[in-house]
Amino acid sequence: MYRHGRTFAFTLAAALGAAACTPKDQPAAAADSTAATTAMTPAATTPPVVTVHAADFKFDGPDSIPAGMVTFHLINDGTTFHHMQLVRLDSAKTFADLQAAIAKPGPIPAWVTFVGGPNAPDPHGESNATMNMPAGNYAMLCFVDVPGGVPHVARGMERSLTVVPSSSTVAAPKPDVTLTLADYSFTTSQPLHAGIQTIEVRNNGPQAHEVELIRMAPGKTQKDILGWMQKPNGPPPGSGVGGIASAAPGEVSYFTADLTPGSYMLICFVPDRKDGKPHFMKGMVQTVTVS
Ligand SMILES: [Cu+2]
């Protein structure tokens, strides 16, 4: 959706720098393949960081991680836009069951629950999401459909993730701003501001929602962005910051963003339960000014 333009420098300094510790009894190696889990201190106070790479068209990351509060760090190595949509598989269903269900036309089975995940950064950009992950079977999927209109999951962009029980007691981050999603609106507890901030995203439902944060190019408006999405000719009028992928009502996640002053857009692409139209067409799109 967004060609490589100005990429957001995601400041995960807090998360990446401080998340270097996990409890001793936790399988730290499973949490991350980067150096983020190497240093240890007695008690972790920030979530372990799980790094996942997105490419055209696959995910690379750990097969299993410990349960508890975790920060997913998505690095987009691809030439197009990707996100990391996490789904939980209930009723003892497996990744193979999910693959079989996805391969068939029809509605998503009731045992699949959308639980968020880092939303889409620009190509060569990064995004993040922090959330509590109870033990269970999960999958990461990419529903982005550019270029060509085929969701990436249909091109093989799906990966299994097993969350194993752990004794983690890491608490949720302290948010600077709470963003509430509902049918069909975005409400912030206070304005987004320039600099680093942690944004708590709560879905009040009744439908699943996402938030994708887009920084508009100077002088561009919501209309330009929506027009470009219909016909992506020329350079994009905005840049993907990230946000939280689709999450069921009641889900709570956090993401950290380092914003520069300017105009931003909040948007939800989730198809409506009733007519399949994306929620932004029902008003779930909002322009905000960051100063
Ligand atoms: Cu993708």
Side-chain angles (χ1 to χ4, degrees), residues 6-183:
R6 186 188 180 287
T7 300
F8 256 82
F10 272 93
T11 306
L12 278 171
L16 291 173
C21 39
T22 51
K24 278 204 176 70
D25 55 347
Q26 204 166 300
D32 196 353
S33 56
T34 72
T37 52
T38 51
M40 305 285 285
T41 51
T45 54
T46 54
V49 176
V50 173
T51 300
V52 174
H53 286 260
D56 315 343
F57 296 92
K58 67 182 179 86
F59 289 111
D60 231 325
D63 296 323
S64 92
I65 61 169
M69 198 57 74
V70 65
T71 295
F72 290 101
H73 177 203
L74 179 66
I75 300 175
N76 184 359
D77 300 322
T79 61
T80 187
F81 206 52
H82 299 291
H83 70 170
M84 180 184 159
Q85 173 69 63
L86 278 165
V87 296
R88 192 181 68 237
L89 312 178
D90 295 324
S91 309
K93 295 291 184 182
T94 65
F95 183 63
D97 294 325
L98 178 69
Q99 286 180 299
I102 286 172
K104 282 192 307 215
I108 293 165
W111 45 266
V112 176
T113 301
F114 285 67
V115 294
N119 226 340
D122 275 349
H124 310 298
E126 301 178 10
S127 62
N128 66 88
T130 298
M131 58 203 281
N132 186 43
M133 294 288 286
N137 293 336
Y138 293 79
M140 50 187 90
L141 309 169
C142 182
F143 288 101
V144 174
D145 63 358
V146 287
V150 177
H152 296 170
V153 63
R155 305 170 82 152
M157 203 158 174
E158 53 190 6
R159 186 181 172 96
S160 169
L161 179 68
T162 304
V163 178
V164 299
S166 92
S167 55
S168 167
T169 54
V170 178
K174 291 250 184 308
D176 299 299
V177 179
T178 296
L179 170 61
T180 303
L181 317 182
D183 295 17

